[in-house]
Amino acid sequence: MDMTRELERIVLVRHVEGLPRPSDFRIERAPIPPLAEGQFLIANRFVSCDPGTRSRLSPGASYARPVMPGEPVDGFCIGHVVESRNPAFPEGALVTATGWASHVVSSGRGYVRRLPPSDLPLSLRLGVLGIPGLTAWFALHRVAMLKPGERVLITSAAGPVGATAGQLARTLGADTVIGTAGGPEKCRWLVETAGFTHALDYKASDFEARFAEVAAGGIDVMLDNVGSTMIEAALPHMRTHGRIVLSGATADYSADVAPGVTRLRELITRRLRMEGILVFDDLPQFPEAEAGLAAAVRAGLAYREEIFEGLHALPEAFCGLFTGLSFGRRLVRLPA
Ligand SMILES: NC(=O)c1ccc[n+]([C@@H]2O[C@H](COP(=O)([O-])OP(=O)(O)OC[C@H]3O[C@@H](n4cnc5c(N)ncnc54)[C@H](OP(=O)(O)O)[C@@H]3O)[C@@H](O)[C@H]2O)c1
């Protein structure tokens, strides 16, 4: 192997305080080591910006250990195997893994999956057909067990998890799908393109009044991507035996102390279930869900992507997730 070959990767400069800034990251070059038996080298085509990465950039509660200053950061990525000493991941195989990097040396441990080829665009395998789409799928199918005729509320509805979930809810027979999002452009898209029944701009001055009006019909299933403030607002509108699925807490990831939920008594009086989802718990069922999501895309499920060019664009693209600048799945494309 050519020892002069190098990869590029994003490294954390310091633990993040509050909202992440591009200067919290730097890009570095490192040699690609010779492959050991069982290893393979992935050349990435796309890497993704995920709000959940924020929860690992400061010491604190996450299901995974925090990234330490000087360590590489690892969002999701997809690419092809370009060199292999592992027969399960031969040269040319399409693989999704983790790493904010041009290349990943893997031994197949952690989240590394060989994917079957598809005629759908590659970028979708990190978006509506990837972790965000799968999260929406299992949140509704397994955790919420959504039933026809139910009323659904989704926060951060214009994001890849939220927008996919709202449209899947419709195909599962939801009677009403309410989304919250920041700004009139996102709200218009949710109703006109993604088929939400109502889209409410949580930044608008009349939000509380409009939310009370729309939610007054009751909510059977809430999929929350944002955090405690919206759960607190939704609790008095939940119908008996309603389900609140906690997918993420984008608004709370950067807060020292999240506002919290005080109306817990509503869980008793309304016999509610509130449950977190971690999509990797459903790993064995991913292929089935991916097939369902691909069928939904072919049938017209709407999605939005924002594609940035080159690894150097990643820190700024990522930071935009927390200021409402993103609208759809944010990805960075790497040269072939
Ligand atoms: N549990 C799991 O296994 C799993 C897997 C994947 C993702 N997730 C979680 O699912 C959630 C959605 O992920 P996604 O990829 O679809 O990203 P996303 O919802 O598109 O996240 C970015 C968007 O979040 C909204 N946001 C940012 N700060 C906010 C704030 N303070 N208050 C309210 N909204 C805010 C912004 O939209 P607005 O303009 O609308 O504010 C922003 O554009 C995230 O919390 C993520 O961590 C969980």
Side-chain angles (χ1 to χ4, degrees):
M1 182 174 159
D2 179 5
M3 284 303 295
T4 61
R5 281 201 303 179
E6 289 186 321
L7 54 76
E8 278 191 325
R9 62 189 177 199
I10 303 286
V11 166
L12 185 65
V13 170
R14 64 184 77 80
H15 276 141
V16 175
E17 286 179 24
L19 292 178
R21 287 162 302 171
S23 58
D24 293 326
F25 307 91
R26 68 180 160 81
I27 194 163
E28 74 172 18
R29 299 178 76 85
I32 298 175
L35 298 186
E37 189 60 38
Q39 288 187 325
F40 50 98
L41 178 66
I42 309 164
N44 283 331
R45 289 307 321 283
F46 289 97
V47 295
S48 66
C49 300
D50 301 88
T53 299
R54 169 66 187 89
S55 60
R56 300 183 48 222
L57 301 180
S58 322
S62 169
Y63 66 91
R65 75 166 185 86
V67 180
M68 300 308 287
E71 287 185 344
V73 185
D74 57 355
F76 299 107
C77 57
I78 191 166
H80 291 94
V81 175
V82 289
E83 191 183 320
S84 179
R85 296 188 65 190
N86 183 328
F89 294 89
E91 228 173 276
L94 178 64
V95 176
T96 187
T98 56
W100 273 2
S102 62
H103 296 77
V104 173
V105 176
S106 173
S107 53
R109 277 196 293 275
Y111 182 64
V112 184
R113 294 175 62 225
R114 187 172 169 188
L115 297 175
S118 162
D119 58 339
L120 291 168
L122 188 60
S123 57
L124 299 192
R125 312 291 283 270
L126 286 189
V128 62
L129 306 179
I131 294 300
L134 290 162
T135 304
W137 180 278
F138 292 110
L140 296 182
H141 282 87
R142 179 178 62 77
V143 187
M145 291 185 284
L146 179 69
K147 294 189 283 291
E150 291 193 316
R151 290 171 57 90
V152 179
L153 169 67
I154 298 172
T155 61
S156 196
V161 173
T164 309
Q167 294 172 83
L168 291 178
R170 276 280 196 225
T171 64
L172 290 170
D175 170 75
T176 302
V177 180
I178 305 160
T180 62
E185 192 194 354
K186 290 181 180 180
C187 289
R188 210 166 25 248
W189 182 84
L190 284 170
V191 173
E192 291 176 5
T193 307
F196 279 59
T197 322
H198 305 281
L200 308 177
D201 178 359
Y202 73 93
K203 292 179 175 166
S205 55
D206 64 349
F207 172 70
E208 275 181 34
R210 284 214 60 210
F211 183 76
E213 189 185 311
V214 167
I219 299 162
D220 297 291
V221 169
M222 175 182 190
L223 172 59
D224 183 48
N225 293 305
V226 165
S228 42
T229 305
M230 285 305 299
I231 298 171
E232 183 78 356
L235 273 170
H237 303 289
M238 294 299 297
R239 282 175 163 171
T240 307
H241 297 300
R243 287 86 72 204
I244 300 174
V245 185
L246 310 188
S247 157
T250 306
D252 294 344
Y253 290 148
S254 301
D256 285 339
V257 183
V261 177
T262 64
R263 293 175 167 146
L264 287 175
R265 206 187 302 167
E266 302 285 4
L267 271 74
I268 304 167
T269 54
R270 295 163 197 267
R271 279 83 87 207
L272 306 178
R273 180 160 61 85
M274 183 148 74
E275 182 174 338
I277 180 174
L278 182 57
V279 71
F280 300 110
D281 290 345
D282 294 290
L283 197 59
Q285 281 72 48
F286 274 20
E288 189 189 321
E290 284 162 337
L293 288 160
V297 168
R298 290 183 204 285
L301 186 139
Y303 58 86
R304 278 187 57 100
E305 293 181 315
E306 294 181 320
I307 297 186
F308 295 71
E309 301 294 338
L311 208 57
H312 63 276
L314 214 164
E316 194 159 343
F318 172 72
C319 293
L321 297 177
F322 303 92
T323 52
L325 287 177
S326 65
F327 185 0
R329 185 57 161 161
R330 282 204 156 182
L331 299 173
V332 167
R333 181 169 25 220
L334 302 177

